[in-house]
Amino acid sequence: MKRVRFRDSGGNVRGGRWAIEDGEPVVTAAAGPYGRIAFGDESYDPAEVDILPPCEPTKIVCLGRNYAEHADEMGSDVPDRPMLFLKGPNAVASHGNTLTMPAGKERIDHEAELGVVIGEQCKNVSESGAMDVVAGYTCVNDISNRDDQNREQNWVRGKAFDNACPIGPLVATPEHVPEDATIECRVNGETRQSSTREHLIFPVEETIAEITEYMTLEPGDVIATGTPSGVGPLEDGDRVEVEIEGIGTLEHSVKIP
């Protein structure tokens, strides 16, 4: 199943199912013939509603350097355990929107990532039981302000600013997302990042076990599993697409004052 949150023309927030029409839908801001959103007995054209973040996390737990080639391009070693940092709910942004970035920065980068959406409150989860607490997967862009990230150790300014974590457009249950699912980022139609989830250093199950050893995860919380190599700077007006096989495409633009 593929679930989506949206606001209809009357201003009502709904939770619907992205209906399949003529095969697997290609989920974009203008989905056109590829699918409609079903809510009860009604259906909606995705282009005619406001797509909202597919969940409402109390926190986003992010992994750094979870792809060896990305660690290499950043001039860093591969960590010996999942390298964790946090983004708050203020960082969450929606599919299809234009996102305002911090002003006066030299470099703000895109980072395409597979997001894991938690389905139930959980603590001290074993690797073998990790998938039992997963509601599904989504697309994440871990937008990074390198100016400040490189000056601090806790990365609050570099990673947790407003609009630093667009998520969406939907949550796909695990059976839709292959173990070798492709992960791509395109900027203005040009492919910048391309890899698969099988190159994750720390897989989803190990990551959930590690995180829940230290903190309780709540329904709707998101784990951003790290980005492949190819991260790069964004410029004012750029259009970003994060596409993950089995989920769809998260799209947004950026405004850099």
Side-chain angles (χ1 to χ4, degrees):
M1 182 178 293
K2 299 190 176 186
R3 303 290 300 182
V4 61
R5 291 177 65 245
F6 65 99
R7 183 178 289 106
D8 65 19
S9 59
N12 303 299
V13 174
R14 306 293 194 191
R17 181 174 59 88
W18 209 296
I20 305 297
E21 292 183 7
D22 299 322
E24 196 73 8
V26 177
V27 180
T28 65
Y34 294 105
R36 293 181 65 84
I37 296 170
F39 175 74
D41 295 332
E42 300 180 18
S43 69
Y44 299 82
D45 182 337
E48 296 177 353
V49 299
D50 293 328
I51 304 297
L52 302 175
C55 55
E56 298 180 277
T58 68
K59 55 190 168 294
I60 304 101
V61 187
C62 305
L63 272 70
R65 305 179 203 162
N66 202 22
Y67 287 79
E69 290 184 355
H70 174 57
D72 184 63
E73 76 177 347
M74 301 301 287
S76 303
D77 295 330
V78 171
D80 59 3
R81 64 177 183 172
M83 179 180 171
L84 305 178
F85 61 93
L86 292 173
K87 293 184 182 236
N90 67 291
V92 175
S94 299
H95 168 78
N97 285 353
T98 297
L99 311 181
T100 300
M101 300 289 101
K105 305 303 177 183
E106 291 293 327
R107 180 162 174 170
I108 296 175
D109 282 5
H110 58 78
E111 294 193 11
E113 306 195 9
L114 174 72
V116 182
V117 181
I118 299 301
E120 62 184 69
Q121 187 182 68
C122 57
K123 181 75 163 67
N124 291 323
V125 178
S126 66
E127 289 188 37
S128 62
M131 293 308 298
D132 293 339
V133 304
V134 173
Y137 296 114
T138 192
C139 303
V140 171
N141 187 1
D142 172 21
I143 302 177
S144 301
N145 158 22
R146 303 298 188 200
D147 292 37
D148 289 306
Q149 183 185 0
N150 293 334
R151 294 180 56 191
E152 60 189 10
Q153 293 183 342
N154 57 26
W155 294 358
V156 171
R157 297 176 184 85
K159 292 281 194 174
F161 53 90
D162 290 349
N163 294 325
C165 195
I167 298 173
L170 51 77
V171 175
T173 46
E175 69 271 14
H176 289 287
V177 185
E179 291 295 326
D180 61 349
T182 56
I183 300 171
E184 290 192 352
C185 178
R186 296 182 295 274
V187 178
N188 302 324
E190 174 191 356
T191 300
R192 295 269 191 93
Q193 295 179 270
S194 183
S195 188
T196 69
R197 64 176 286 203
E198 63 186 340
H199 290 124
L200 290 169
I201 297 168
F202 301 105
V204 170
E205 294 86 350
E206 183 177 352
T207 297
I208 291 174
E210 176 72 15
I211 291 171
T212 59
E213 181 179 345
Y214 292 90
M215 70 179 74
T216 300
L217 294 176
E218 303 290 346
D221 282 353
V222 174
I223 299 170
T225 58
T227 196
S229 62
V231 300
L234 296 170
E235 297 181 359
D236 183 43
D238 279 350
R239 183 77 177 173
V240 183
E241 299 170 279
V242 175
E243 182 174 2
I244 299 179
E245 182 181 357
I247 301 172
T249 304
L250 166 67
E251 297 183 12
H252 67 84
S253 298
V254 293
K255 178 182 179 182
I256 305 178

mmCIF file of all heavy atoms in Angstrom, residues 163-199:
data_model
loop_
_atom_site.group_PDB
_atom_site.id
_atom_site.type_symbol
_atom_site.label_atom_id
_atom_site.label_comp_id
_atom_site.label_asym_id
_atom_site.label_seq_id
_atom_site.Cartn_x
_atom_site.Cartn_y
_atom_site.Cartn_z
ATOM 1 N N ASN A 163 13.034 23.872 6.945
ATOM 2 C CA ASN A 163 12.972 23.335 5.568
ATOM 3 C C ASN A 163 14.157 22.442 5.212
ATOM 4 O O ASN A 163 14.368 22.144 4.033
ATOM 5 C CB ASN A 163 12.875 24.464 4.536
ATOM 6 C CG ASN A 163 11.596 25.240 4.632
ATOM 7 O OD1 ASN A 163 10.540 24.681 4.931
ATOM 8 N ND2 ASN A 163 11.662 26.549 4.406
ATOM 9 N N ALA A 164 14.930 21.989 6.215
ATOM 10 C CA ALA A 164 16.121 21.186 5.940
ATOM 11 C C ALA A 164 15.817 19.723 5.675
ATOM 12 O O ALA A 164 16.731 18.946 5.389
ATOM 13 C CB ALA A 164 17.105 21.292 7.112
ATOM 14 N N CYS A 165 14.530 19.330 5.731
ATOM 15 C CA CYS A 165 14.218 17.914 5.539
ATOM 16 C C CYS A 165 12.898 17.718 4.798
ATOM 17 O O CYS A 165 11.908 17.277 5.386
ATOM 18 C CB CYS A 165 14.161 17.195 6.886
ATOM 19 S SG CYS A 165 14.222 15.390 6.747
ATOM 20 N N PRO A 166 12.865 18.018 3.499
ATOM 21 C CA PRO A 166 11.670 17.646 2.727
ATOM 22 C C PRO A 166 11.485 16.130 2.717
ATOM 23 O O PRO A 166 12.460 15.380 2.571
ATOM 24 C CB PRO A 166 11.957 18.186 1.328
ATOM 25 C CG PRO A 166 13.386 18.571 1.316
ATOM 26 C CD PRO A 166 13.863 18.717 2.702
ATOM 27 N N ILE A 167 10.247 15.696 2.904
ATOM 28 C CA ILE A 167 9.899 14.276 3.000
ATOM 29 C C ILE A 167 8.691 14.009 2.110
ATOM 30 O O ILE A 167 7.766 14.805 2.051
ATOM 31 C CB ILE A 167 9.548 13.905 4.455
ATOM 32 C CG1 ILE A 167 10.736 14.128 5.396
ATOM 33 C CG2 ILE A 167 9.079 12.450 4.551
ATOM 34 C CD1 ILE A 167 10.380 13.933 6.864
ATOM 35 N N GLY A 168 8.689 12.837 1.459
ATOM 36 C CA GLY A 168 7.485 12.466 0.724
ATOM 37 C C GLY A 168 7.788 11.826 -0.624
ATOM 38 O O GLY A 168 8.901 11.393 -0.868
ATOM 39 N N PRO A 169 6.814 11.789 -1.507
ATOM 40 C CA PRO A 169 5.468 12.328 -1.326
ATOM 41 C C PRO A 169 4.518 11.392 -0.586
ATOM 42 O O PRO A 169 3.406 11.777 -0.259
ATOM 43 C CB PRO A 169 5.002 12.546 -2.756
ATOM 44 C CG PRO A 169 5.689 11.461 -3.527
ATOM 45 C CD PRO A 169 7.034 11.299 -2.882
ATOM 46 N N LEU A 170 4.978 10.155 -0.313
ATOM 47 C CA LEU A 170 4.091 9.168 0.296
ATOM 48 C C LEU A 170 4.923 8.201 1.117
ATOM 49 O O LEU A 170 6.150 8.262 1.142
ATOM 50 C CB LEU A 170 3.288 8.427 -0.785
ATOM 51 C CG LEU A 170 4.048 7.802 -1.965
ATOM 52 C CD1 LEU A 170 4.741 6.502 -1.593
ATOM 53 C CD2 LEU A 170 3.105 7.534 -3.131
ATOM 54 N N VAL A 171 4.231 7.309 1.814
ATOM 55 C CA VAL A 171 4.862 6.191 2.514
ATOM 56 C C VAL A 171 4.450 4.907 1.806
ATOM 57 O O VAL A 171 3.260 4.621 1.672
ATOM 58 C CB VAL A 171 4.444 6.136 3.992
ATOM 59 C CG1 VAL A 171 5.028 4.884 4.659
ATOM 60 C CG2 VAL A 171 4.901 7.383 4.729
ATOM 61 N N ALA A 172 5.449 4.157 1.328
ATOM 62 C CA ALA A 172 5.204 2.873 0.666
ATOM 63 C C ALA A 172 5.539 1.746 1.630
ATOM 64 O O ALA A 172 6.612 1.764 2.258
ATOM 65 C CB ALA A 172 6.063 2.754 -0.587
ATOM 66 N N THR A 173 4.642 0.806 1.795
ATOM 67 C CA THR A 173 4.918 -0.324 2.671
ATOM 68 C C THR A 173 6.091 -1.137 2.119
ATOM 69 O O THR A 173 6.377 -1.110 0.913
ATOM 70 C CB THR A 173 3.667 -1.192 2.849
ATOM 71 O OG1 THR A 173 3.062 -1.421 1.563
ATOM 72 C CG2 THR A 173 2.662 -0.521 3.762
ATOM 73 N N PRO A 174 6.830 -1.841 2.998
ATOM 74 C CA PRO A 174 8.122 -2.407 2.613
ATOM 75 C C PRO A 174 8.124 -3.312 1.384
ATOM 76 O O PRO A 174 9.133 -3.368 0.671
ATOM 77 C CB PRO A 174 8.547 -3.172 3.869
ATOM 78 C CG PRO A 174 7.944 -2.387 4.990
ATOM 79 C CD PRO A 174 6.609 -1.951 4.462
ATOM 80 N N GLU A 175 7.026 -3.994 1.125
ATOM 81 C CA GLU A 175 7.037 -4.914 -0.016
ATOM 82 C C GLU A 175 7.192 -4.196 -1.354
ATOM 83 O O GLU A 175 7.565 -4.811 -2.358
ATOM 84 C CB GLU A 175 5.760 -5.772 -0.031
ATOM 85 C CG GLU A 175 4.471 -5.045 -0.348
ATOM 86 C CD GLU A 175 3.785 -4.483 0.877
ATOM 87 O OE1 GLU A 175 4.410 -4.424 1.949
ATOM 88 O OE2 GLU A 175 2.594 -4.098 0.754
ATOM 89 N N HIS A 176 6.931 -2.894 -1.390
ATOM 90 C CA HIS A 176 7.072 -2.140 -2.634
ATOM 91 C C HIS A 176 8.526 -1.761 -2.947
ATOM 92 O O HIS A 176 8.831 -1.405 -4.084
ATOM 93 C CB HIS A 176 6.256 -0.840 -2.563
ATOM 94 C CG HIS A 176 4.776 -1.036 -2.610
ATOM 95 N ND1 HIS A 176 4.109 -1.396 -3.763
ATOM 96 C CD2 HIS A 176 3.830 -0.919 -1.650
ATOM 97 C CE1 HIS A 176 2.819 -1.490 -3.513
ATOM 98 N NE2 HIS A 176 2.625 -1.211 -2.234
ATOM 99 N N VAL A 177 9.403 -1.799 -1.937
ATOM 100 C CA VAL A 177 10.752 -1.239 -2.080
ATOM 101 C C VAL A 177 11.779 -2.364 -2.034
ATOM 102 O O VAL A 177 12.041 -2.928 -0.974
ATOM 103 C CB VAL A 177 11.027 -0.199 -0.973
ATOM 104 C CG1 VAL A 177 12.384 0.475 -1.202
ATOM 105 C CG2 VAL A 177 9.923 0.851 -0.928
ATOM 106 N N PRO A 178 12.395 -2.710 -3.175
ATOM 107 C CA PRO A 178 13.335 -3.825 -3.219
ATOM 108 C C PRO A 178 14.564 -3.598 -2.346
ATOM 109 O O PRO A 178 14.926 -2.462 -2.031
ATOM 110 C CB PRO A 178 13.733 -3.900 -4.705
ATOM 111 C CG PRO A 178 12.738 -3.085 -5.447
ATOM 112 C CD PRO A 178 12.211 -2.073 -4.491
ATOM 113 N N GLU A 179 15.224 -4.683 -1.978
ATOM 114 C CA GLU A 179 16.457 -4.592 -1.186
ATOM 115 C C GLU A 179 17.554 -3.861 -1.952
ATOM 116 O O GLU A 179 18.464 -3.297 -1.353
ATOM 117 C CB GLU A 179 16.938 -5.998 -0.799
ATOM 118 C CG GLU A 179 16.051 -6.700 0.208
ATOM 119 C CD GLU A 179 16.020 -6.011 1.559
ATOM 120 O OE1 GLU A 179 17.070 -5.450 1.954
ATOM 121 O OE2 GLU A 179 14.964 -6.024 2.212
ATOM 122 N N ASP A 180 17.472 -3.889 -3.296
ATOM 123 C CA ASP A 180 18.466 -3.186 -4.112
ATOM 124 C C ASP A 180 17.836 -1.969 -4.806
ATOM 125 O O ASP A 180 18.265 -1.573 -5.901
ATOM 126 C CB ASP A 180 19.088 -4.122 -5.142
ATOM 127 C CG ASP A 180 18.064 -4.698 -6.122
ATOM 128 O OD1 ASP A 180 16.836 -4.545 -5.883
ATOM 129 O OD2 ASP A 180 18.491 -5.302 -7.130
ATOM 130 N N ALA A 181 16.852 -1.354 -4.153
ATOM 131 C CA ALA A 181 16.144 -0.223 -4.760
ATOM 132 C C ALA A 181 17.102 0.896 -5.145
ATOM 133 O O ALA A 181 18.020 1.236 -4.394
ATOM 134 C CB ALA A 181 15.095 0.316 -3.781
ATOM 135 N N THR A 182 16.894 1.467 -6.318
ATOM 136 C CA THR A 182 17.733 2.577 -6.774
ATOM 137 C C THR A 182 17.338 3.863 -6.056
ATOM 138 O O THR A 182 16.174 4.094 -5.739
ATOM 139 C CB THR A 182 17.607 2.785 -8.292
ATOM 140 O OG1 THR A 182 16.220 2.995 -8.622
ATOM 141 C CG2 THR A 182 18.127 1.578 -9.047
ATOM 142 N N ILE A 183 18.350 4.702 -5.819
ATOM 143 C CA ILE A 183 18.172 6.004 -5.172
ATOM 144 C C ILE A 183 18.872 7.026 -6.051
ATOM 145 O O ILE A 183 20.068 6.906 -6.319
ATOM 146 C CB ILE A 183 18.784 6.011 -3.763
ATOM 147 C CG1 ILE A 183 18.112 4.945 -2.889
ATOM 148 C CG2 ILE A 183 18.662 7.394 -3.121
ATOM 149 C CD1 ILE A 183 18.804 4.732 -1.560
ATOM 150 N N GLU A 184 18.119 8.026 -6.517
ATOM 151 C CA GLU A 184 18.696 9.027 -7.410
ATOM 152 C C GLU A 184 18.311 10.432 -6.970
ATOM 153 O O GLU A 184 17.240 10.642 -6.393
ATOM 154 C CB GLU A 184 18.224 8.817 -8.855
ATOM 155 C CG GLU A 184 18.785 7.582 -9.519
ATOM 156 C CD GLU A 184 18.522 7.576 -11.014
ATOM 157 O OE1 GLU A 184 17.772 8.452 -11.505
ATOM 158 O OE2 GLU A 184 19.058 6.689 -11.689
ATOM 159 N N CYS A 185 19.190 11.366 -7.271
ATOM 160 C CA CYS A 185 18.876 12.783 -7.109
ATOM 161 C C CYS A 185 19.162 13.488 -8.419
ATOM 162 O O CYS A 185 20.238 13.310 -9.005
ATOM 163 C CB CYS A 185 19.710 13.410 -5.997
ATOM 164 S SG CYS A 185 19.396 15.186 -5.782
ATOM 165 N N ARG A 186 18.191 14.287 -8.870
ATOM 166 C CA ARG A 186 18.357 15.106 -10.065
ATOM 167 C C ARG A 186 18.146 16.568 -9.706
ATOM 168 O O ARG A 186 17.243 16.894 -8.930
ATOM 169 C CB ARG A 186 17.370 14.680 -11.150
ATOM 170 C CG ARG A 186 17.592 13.254 -11.656
ATOM 171 C CD ARG A 186 16.619 12.889 -12.766
ATOM 172 N NE ARG A 186 15.243 12.851 -12.301
ATOM 173 C CZ ARG A 186 14.670 11.783 -11.745
ATOM 174 N NH1 ARG A 186 15.360 10.665 -11.554
ATOM 175 N NH2 ARG A 186 13.402 11.820 -11.352
ATOM 176 N N VAL A 187 18.968 17.430 -10.255
ATOM 177 C CA VAL A 187 18.826 18.870 -10.067
ATOM 178 C C VAL A 187 18.640 19.490 -11.444
ATOM 179 O O VAL A 187 19.499 19.338 -12.318
ATOM 180 C CB VAL A 187 20.037 19.475 -9.354
ATOM 181 C CG1 VAL A 187 19.889 20.991 -9.222
ATOM 182 C CG2 VAL A 187 20.219 18.847 -7.970
ATOM 183 N N ASN A 188 17.494 20.112 -11.649
ATOM 184 C CA ASN A 188 17.142 20.678 -12.952
ATOM 185 C C ASN A 188 17.262 19.633 -14.066
ATOM 186 O O ASN A 188 17.696 19.926 -15.177
ATOM 187 C CB ASN A 188 18.008 21.896 -13.263
ATOM 188 C CG ASN A 188 17.886 22.972 -12.204
ATOM 189 O OD1 ASN A 188 16.814 23.188 -11.646
ATOM 190 N ND2 ASN A 188 18.986 23.652 -11.906
ATOM 191 N N GLY A 189 16.888 18.394 -13.744
ATOM 192 C CA GLY A 189 16.895 17.309 -14.720
ATOM 193 C C GLY A 189 18.218 16.596 -14.873
ATOM 194 O O GLY A 189 18.284 15.555 -15.533
ATOM 195 N N GLU A 190 19.274 17.095 -14.261
ATOM 196 C CA GLU A 190 20.598 16.476 -14.360
ATOM 197 C C GLU A 190 20.815 15.533 -13.188
ATOM 198 O O GLU A 190 20.659 15.911 -12.021
ATOM 199 C CB GLU A 190 21.683 17.546 -14.348
ATOM 200 C CG GLU A 190 23.098 16.988 -14.313
ATOM 201 C CD GLU A 190 24.148 18.042 -14.045
ATOM 202 O OE1 GLU A 190 23.789 19.246 -13.960
ATOM 203 O OE2 GLU A 190 25.327 17.675 -13.879
ATOM 204 N N THR A 191 21.202 14.281 -13.474
ATOM 205 C CA THR A 191 21.439 13.307 -12.415
ATOM 206 C C THR A 191 22.716 13.650 -11.656
ATOM 207 O O THR A 191 23.792 13.760 -12.246
ATOM 208 C CB THR A 191 21.537 11.886 -12.975
ATOM 209 O OG1 THR A 191 20.301 11.551 -13.631
ATOM 210 C CG2 THR A 191 21.799 10.873 -11.860
ATOM 211 N N ARG A 192 22.580 13.831 -10.346
ATOM 212 C CA ARG A 192 23.719 14.150 -9.484
ATOM 213 C C ARG A 192 24.142 12.950 -8.634
ATOM 214 O O ARG A 192 25.320 12.759 -8.359
ATOM 215 C CB ARG A 192 23.350 15.309 -8.556
ATOM 216 C CG ARG A 192 23.081 16.643 -9.272
ATOM 217 C CD ARG A 192 24.322 17.478 -9.399
ATOM 218 N NE ARG A 192 24.045 18.842 -9.846
ATOM 219 C CZ ARG A 192 23.857 19.876 -9.019
ATOM 220 N NH1 ARG A 192 23.889 19.688 -7.701
ATOM 221 N NH2 ARG A 192 23.620 21.094 -9.505
ATOM 222 N N GLN A 193 23.158 12.189 -8.171
ATOM 223 C CA GLN A 193 23.426 11.036 -7.316
ATOM 224 C C GLN A 193 22.694 9.822 -7.869
ATOM 225 O O GLN A 193 21.552 9.933 -8.314
ATOM 226 C CB GLN A 193 22.944 11.290 -5.889
ATOM 227 C CG GLN A 193 23.687 12.396 -5.160
ATOM 228 C CD GLN A 193 23.142 12.605 -3.754
ATOM 229 O OE1 GLN A 193 22.238 13.397 -3.554
ATOM 230 N NE2 GLN A 193 23.700 11.880 -2.784
ATOM 231 N N SER A 194 23.344 8.671 -7.816
ATOM 232 C CA SER A 194 22.719 7.440 -8.281
ATOM 233 C C SER A 194 23.389 6.256 -7.596
ATOM 234 O O SER A 194 24.591 6.052 -7.736
ATOM 235 C CB SER A 194 22.836 7.299 -9.805
ATOM 236 O OG SER A 194 22.162 6.136 -10.254
ATOM 237 N N SER A 195 22.601 5.491 -6.819
ATOM 238 C CA SER A 195 23.136 4.329 -6.122
ATOM 239 C C SER A 195 21.965 3.412 -5.804
ATOM 240 O O SER A 195 20.865 3.574 -6.347
ATOM 241 C CB SER A 195 23.878 4.745 -4.847
ATOM 242 O OG SER A 195 24.555 3.635 -4.270
ATOM 243 N N THR A 196 22.186 2.443 -4.919
ATOM 244 C CA THR A 196 21.124 1.551 -4.476
ATOM 245 C C THR A 196 21.232 1.361 -2.969
ATOM 246 O O THR A 196 22.298 1.554 -2.372
ATOM 247 C CB THR A 196 21.201 0.170 -5.145
ATOM 248 O OG1 THR A 196 22.357 -0.527 -4.648
ATOM 249 C CG2 THR A 196 21.300 0.301 -6.662
ATOM 250 N N ARG A 197 20.140 0.935 -2.357
ATOM 251 C CA ARG A 197 20.138 0.766 -0.906
ATOM 252 C C ARG A 197 20.995 -0.402 -0.454
ATOM 253 O O ARG A 197 21.357 -0.490 0.723
ATOM 254 C CB ARG A 197 18.717 0.635 -0.359
ATOM 255 C CG ARG A 197 17.959 -0.586 -0.833
ATOM 256 C CD ARG A 197 16.594 -0.710 -0.193
ATOM 257 N NE ARG A 197 16.667 -1.131 1.197
ATOM 258 C CZ ARG A 197 15.652 -1.734 1.834
ATOM 259 N NH1 ARG A 197 14.488 -1.936 1.202
ATOM 260 N NH2 ARG A 197 15.774 -2.106 3.082
ATOM 261 N N GLU A 198 21.366 -1.297 -1.376
ATOM 262 C CA GLU A 198 22.218 -2.419 -0.988
ATOM 263 C C GLU A 198 23.631 -1.962 -0.632
ATOM 264 O O GLU A 198 24.411 -2.735 -0.060
ATOM 265 C CB GLU A 198 22.259 -3.474 -2.096
ATOM 266 C CG GLU A 198 22.859 -3.005 -3.407
ATOM 267 C CD GLU A 198 22.748 -4.036 -4.506
ATOM 268 O OE1 GLU A 198 22.551 -5.234 -4.175
ATOM 269 O OE2 GLU A 198 22.855 -3.668 -5.686
ATOM 270 N N HIS A 199 23.981 -0.693 -0.959
ATOM 271 C CA HIS A 199 25.295 -0.167 -0.616
ATOM 272 C C HIS A 199 25.321 0.515 0.745
ATOM 273 O O HIS A 199 26.355 1.071 1.136
ATOM 274 C CB HIS A 199 25.766 0.806 -1.697
ATOM 275 C CG HIS A 199 26.110 0.126 -2.984
ATOM 276 N ND1 HIS A 199 25.528 0.478 -4.183
ATOM 277 C CD2 HIS A 199 26.948 -0.890 -3.257
ATOM 278 C CE1 HIS A 199 26.016 -0.292 -5.143
ATOM 279 N NE2 HIS A 199 26.869 -1.135 -4.604
#
